[in-house]
Amino acid sequence: MTELLYPLADEAATEALGKALARHQELPAVVFLHGDLGAGKTTLSRGVMRGYGHQGAVKSPTYTLVEPYQFDRHEVYHFDLYRLADPEELEFMGIREYFDGHALCLIEWPECGQGILPAPDLEITLSYEGQGRMARLVAHSDLAKRTLEALSA
Ligand code: ADP
Ligand code: MG
């Protein structure tokens, strides 16, 4: 399966999709999160962190560009590239290290890092739909195809 549409009726559903991702996503993996401001990218990311057992706050790292989360067996790097002026800045941040390990990289506003970011395993596009949201998940690797199969089972 390479594409999955996933309706999200409310905020709890968006978090639940994040938790399901945490449960099923094999690592390492790169996930691009597309969608307008307020579409739910950070809410979904919070669900992922909750799924891995993180209790504290999860906010968009708008000014620091990346927030690391350390878990027992892996890290999650949560990026928000909205304020990235030039993709080359990612090189100065030592971007490779984030993508070389056994990590999950969740990237809001990946468009801003075009040309420097690695290709994603999974792309998730969140859009407004009535009072809720629609998530469109597109798999670009076998690992992500397995994720979609697990999510749709
Ligand atoms: P983004 O990171 O894409 O800018 P946020 O996750 O910060 O978006 O904000 C999304 C907003 O929309 C929050 O106020 C959240 O409560 C709300 N929200 C999240 N998911 C849904 C949903 N499925 N339906 C309705 N509202 C949602
Ligand atoms: Mg955000």
Side-chain angles (χ1 to χ4, degrees):
M1 179 183 289
T2 58
E3 190 176 329
L4 178 65
L5 286 175
Y6 208 99
L8 302 167
D10 53 21
E11 178 176 4
T14 305
E15 266 209 43
L17 174 58
K19 284 183 187 166
L21 257 183
R23 191 152 55 245
H24 296 296
Q25 184 59 58
E26 297 166 49
L27 303 180
V30 176
V31 177
F32 283 6
L33 298 173
H34 300 285
D36 292 340
L37 271 178
K41 303 178 294 298
T42 301
T43 304
L44 184 77
S45 302
R46 183 178 303 120
V48 172
M49 274 19 126
R50 294 271 182 273
Y52 288 130
H54 175 79
Q55 310 278 344
V58 175
K59 292 188 184 129
S60 263
T62 307
Y63 293 96
T64 51
L65 298 178
V66 60
E67 183 69 30
Y69 296 84
Q70 181 69 53
F71 297 98
D72 285 347
R73 297 185 186 173
H74 71 288
E75 298 86 45
V76 177
Y77 297 114
H78 180 202
F79 291 83
D80 179 349
L81 303 183
Y82 189 68
R83 289 183 184 275
L84 189 71
D86 181 343
E88 299 252 319
E89 275 181 50
L90 289 171
E91 300 278 19
F92 299 122
M93 284 168 63
I95 188 87
R96 310 251 175 258
E97 285 180 33
Y98 294 104
F99 295 95
D100 282 351
H102 186 70
L104 173 62
C105 289
L106 289 174
I107 309 175
E108 300 188 33
W109 300 102
E111 301 80 3
C112 299
Q114 231 169 28
I116 304 280
L117 291 176
D121 293 284
L122 181 63
E123 283 188 280
I124 303 178
T125 303
L126 295 161
S127 45
Y128 287 80
E129 184 138 309
Q131 302 294 307
R133 307 286 188 268
M134 177 63 76
R136 178 169 172 262
L137 295 84
V138 178
H140 296 287
S141 66
D142 287 341
L143 158 150
K145 284 177 194 168
R146 289 195 288 276
T147 308
L148 297 198
E149 270 146 32
L151 289 177
S152 65

